[in-house]
Amino acid sequence: MGMRTRYTLPGSITQDQFLRQVQARFSVEVASLGTQTRSYFDTFDWRLFRRERALCQAHDTVALWSLDNRPVTERTPCLALPPCVGEWEESPLKAQLLSLVSIRALMERAVVHAAYFALAERTASHRPVAHIVFEERAAKDYGGLVPFPTQVEVSAYAESAGELCVWLDSLGLTPVSPSGPLATLYTVQQARAYSAKLAFAFEPDMRADSAVRTILAFLLDIVRQNRTGILHDIDTEFLHDFRVAVRRARSLLGQLPKVLPVRLTKQLRTELSFLGSLTNHLRDLDVLLLQQADYLDALPPELRPDMGPLFRAVRHERYATHYRLVEALTTQQYETILERWESAATDTKARGPQAGHKLAKLVRKSIRQQCQRMLTSTPPDTLKDSTPEQLHRLRIACKKLRYMFEFFASAFPEEMTAEPIRRLRTLQDVLGELNDLDVQRQMLWDIVRAVPGSPGQRHRTDRAIDLLTQTFENQQEQLRAEVHTTFTDFVATVAPWS
């Protein structure tokens, strides 16, 4: 081939019209070489695209490609593509994908319908002139199609390349990059539009209300972007990001209660607490199902089948709970809460008594007070004898304190915030595991009581849960020892703040 160029085909020219013009101008024959439909998959937060990868399915096979259109893995047979990579049959492709997408569901993000044609001279030799590929492309968003202009790629042989190139330019077609389909379908800006990570740039002396509104606006956007994924039940991470955004917003208003109007702050905190409560049970059920394989592995092989009725009941309960959440997220009450949230984030005239305070000074005072309350209520030397309720309160306190450090880290020197954040994450992880084990144990017993079955079956299931709860208790003993160490380490890092 002497030339390969790609153009955007104007809406005024159809595929057939373009081919007829080529035939008339160069006296060539056009032969169809067939068609192909390619589907491209990625996660909601573009985990493959961010790593310059594209998952392509075509001709009942699937493979991972680089964005410059080179294969990264061998093609794997696949008639239907399960959204959860963990459900795929074992293969090198599955292993590579799991390392990239984790538990995020794969969604069809783009579809390309390609039609291939060969051009040859109208002579006895039928000397080849060029190949032409038309690509009708569309992005997909929760099943809806967003069409893009058709692209045409022309690959001409050396003898015809110059004349064909001049003619194509004379048509006024818009040249485009010959890079891979996903790179042309989505700009980097579009692909990176979603991130739930906090990344603010606050100045120490800026007004407190400006910073608080910036954070509230960011968190509201996260809630809105994840709502559709929850309604369609694509994967559990939509609910997770939604919950964290709601919890962060409520915590922000609680730690700085006088920056916005006090009445508005109190009302919005109550409404955010209500939003969070709507999602609690569904998240607990999701965690239980995500742990199913680990729970079964912890049991003797002969008892594993006896957990089947219980997990079927969990899935039934999850279906009903998700349905109730969908109903709640489609009510006027929900819309009213988000309208009030948006007003708090955008109304610059809505100011509380501390609206004009310098950010760093106000935040430093709030963090100092939180550290002092935490150390007063939970001295490190009492942790080994703490009740589950006390440890739960400590976990919530750690979560709120960590949010404050993460919200406003940019307003302080990095050495003042990086280590406390790291220590808090470690401590929060340990306390979170302790709490999850308590919740999961109680849920297992609550659900098994409602599982129908013969007395013999119920007895065997009860035995399996007994063994599991013993495993939970052993894990909790180990975690309690870790709590004391991690909390002591954390206390040392926040001494300058407290």
Side-chain angles (χ1 to χ4, degrees):
M1 290 288 176
M3 173 203 74
R4 175 176 291 182
T5 54
R6 181 181 283 259
Y7 299 90
T8 295
L9 198 63
S12 58
I13 302 178
T14 67
Q15 173 182 304
D16 290 342
Q17 289 172 338
F18 184 86
L19 290 174
R20 285 198 296 269
Q21 289 183 40
V22 173
Q23 284 179 295
R25 176 65 180 77
F26 296 98
S27 298
V28 295
E29 296 177 344
V30 177
S32 173
L33 300 179
T35 61
Q36 182 189 60
T37 298
R38 302 190 301 274
S39 293
Y40 293 88
F41 296 82
D42 206 336
T43 61
F44 170 68
D45 51 355
W46 296 93
R47 297 190 179 187
L48 294 179
F49 190 95
R50 291 171 188 270
R51 294 164 176 82
E52 299 185 349
R53 295 289 181 265
L55 186 67
C56 177
Q57 184 182 34
H59 294 312
D60 299 329
T61 62
V62 63
L64 203 58
W65 289 66
S66 63
L67 290 187
D68 58 3
N69 234 20
R70 291 179 299 172
V72 176
T73 63
E74 295 291 331
R75 286 199 167 273
T76 301
C78 185
L79 295 175
L81 203 64
C84 180
V85 179
E87 298 175 359
W88 291 22
E89 293 184 4
E90 296 301 323
S91 67
L93 176 59
K94 175 183 177 178
Q96 189 165 358
L97 278 176
L98 274 176
S99 68
L100 296 173
V101 305
S102 185
I103 63 174
R104 267 294 192 188
L106 292 169
M107 304 166 59
E108 190 176 21
R109 307 310 306 262
V111 60
V112 176
H113 298 293
Y116 302 85
F117 297 89
L119 276 59
E121 291 180 347
R122 289 177 180 170
T123 61
S125 64
H126 291 285
R127 187 167 62 92
V129 174
H131 286 90
I132 295 178
V133 182
F134 294 93
E135 288 186 350
E136 295 179 358
R137 307 160 308 127
K140 277 199 167 184
D141 184 20
Y142 300 109
L145 285 173
V146 182
F148 284 71
T150 298
Q151 289 189 356
V152 56
E153 184 175 274
V154 180
S155 303
Y157 288 90
E159 297 83 354
S160 313
E163 187 179 0
L164 188 56
C165 186
V166 171
W167 179 74
L168 288 169
D169 288 341
S170 72
L171 294 180
L173 304 182
T174 304
V176 295
S177 168
S179 55
L182 272 190
T184 58
L185 276 173
Y186 305 104
T187 65
V188 173
Q189 288 78 13
Q190 286 172 316
R192 293 180 179 174
Y194 176 82
S195 174
K197 293 183 177 180
L198 303 176
F200 303 112
F202 295 140
E203 294 296 328
D205 292 339
M206 72 183 296
R207 289 174 57 97
D209 59 341
S210 178
V212 167
R213 284 196 300 270
T214 297
I215 297 171
L216 286 177
F218 172 81
L219 297 175
L220 175 60
D221 187 52
I222 296 299
V223 164
R224 284 177 165 159
Q225 290 196 62
N226 280 280
R227 174 179 174 272
T228 304
I230 295 172
L231 299 183
H232 287 266
D233 204 15
I234 295 172
D235 70 40
T236 61
E237 291 300 285
F238 288 93
L239 181 67
H240 171 73
D241 286 0
F242 181 100
R243 281 169 51 80
V244 171
V246 170
R247 192 165 58 231
R248 281 172 167 166
R250 182 168 177 258
S251 178
L252 173 67
L253 295 172
Q255 307 315 306
L256 299 176
K258 297 181 181 180
V259 172
L260 299 183
V262 175
R263 184 177 178 181
L264 171 63
T265 297
K266 184 177 180 180
Q267 184 174 12
L268 192 51
R269 284 192 70 210
T270 300
E271 291 173 334
L272 293 178
S273 177
F274 167 71
L275 275 189
S277 68
L278 292 176
T279 65
N280 288 339
H281 189 46
L282 182 58
R283 184 60 182 172
D284 288 340
L285 291 167
D286 282 342
V287 172
L288 184 56
L289 289 172
L290 287 171
Q291 296 292 329
Q292 178 177 344
D294 292 336
Y295 291 166
L296 293 178
D297 287 343
L299 293 172
E302 64 272 15
L303 286 180
R304 292 171 188 171
D306 297 313
M307 293 292 284
L310 181 137
F311 282 110
R312 284 194 293 272
V314 171
R315 289 187 175 84
H316 179 77
E317 175 70 12
R318 189 196 178 279
Y319 175 85
T321 304
H322 176 260
Y323 181 81
R324 290 193 294 271
L325 178 59
V326 168
E327 285 188 319
L329 296 184
T330 52
T331 61
Q332 183 57 49
Q333 181 184 13
Y334 173 80
E335 295 299 333
T336 300
I337 293 173
L338 263 60
E339 288 169 7
R340 197 180 328 279
W341 189 342
E342 182 173 18
S343 177
T346 58
D347 185 2
T348 58
K349 296 180 181 179
R351 300 171 182 173
Q354 297 178 338
H357 285 212
K358 292 182 178 180
L359 180 64
K361 184 177 180 180
L362 188 62
V363 169
R364 186 192 296 270
K365 180 181 178 181
S366 175
I367 289 178
R368 183 172 64 250
Q369 291 173 343
Q370 291 179 67
C371 290
Q372 289 171 345
R373 285 196 298 267
M374 184 185 296
L375 295 176
T376 301
S377 62
T378 316
D381 57 359
T382 67
L383 275 176
K384 293 180 180 179
D385 300 319
S386 296
T387 65
E389 292 74 17
Q390 290 172 317
L391 292 175
H392 175 68
R393 287 195 295 270
L394 177 61
R395 183 177 67 90
I396 299 302
C398 289
K399 194 174 294 185
K400 292 178 179 179
L401 187 56
R402 174 184 162 190
Y403 290 160
M404 287 295 285
F405 276 114
E406 290 177 335
F407 287 147
F408 304 110
S410 58
F412 298 94
E414 183 179 359
E415 60 269 17
M416 290 184 66
T417 59
E419 192 62 16
I421 289 174
R422 188 180 73 83
R423 297 289 188 181
L424 276 169
R425 284 176 179 164
T426 302
L427 177 57
Q428 194 177 324
D429 286 345
V430 177
L431 291 168
E433 286 186 57
L434 269 169
N435 183 72
D436 284 346
L437 289 169
D438 276 326
V439 172
Q440 297 300 302
R441 178 173 56 238
Q442 187 60 50
M443 283 186 64
L444 286 171
W445 284 116
D446 288 344
I447 292 172
V448 78
R449 293 188 186 104
V451 174
S454 66
Q457 174 63 67
R458 292 175 64 91
H459 175 70
R460 290 192 299 271
T461 303
D462 286 351
R463 278 184 57 212
I465 297 178
D466 267 330
L467 285 176
L468 271 182
T469 54
Q470 289 174 24
T471 302
F472 292 171
E473 289 168 4
N474 292 336
Q475 292 174 350
Q476 286 180 310
E477 284 300 316
Q478 297 174 7
L479 289 169
R480 278 181 172 275
E482 289 185 43
V483 168
H484 182 270
T485 302
T486 55
F487 189 60
T488 302
D489 292 342
F490 163 70
V491 169
T493 66
V494 294
W497 293 87
S498 59

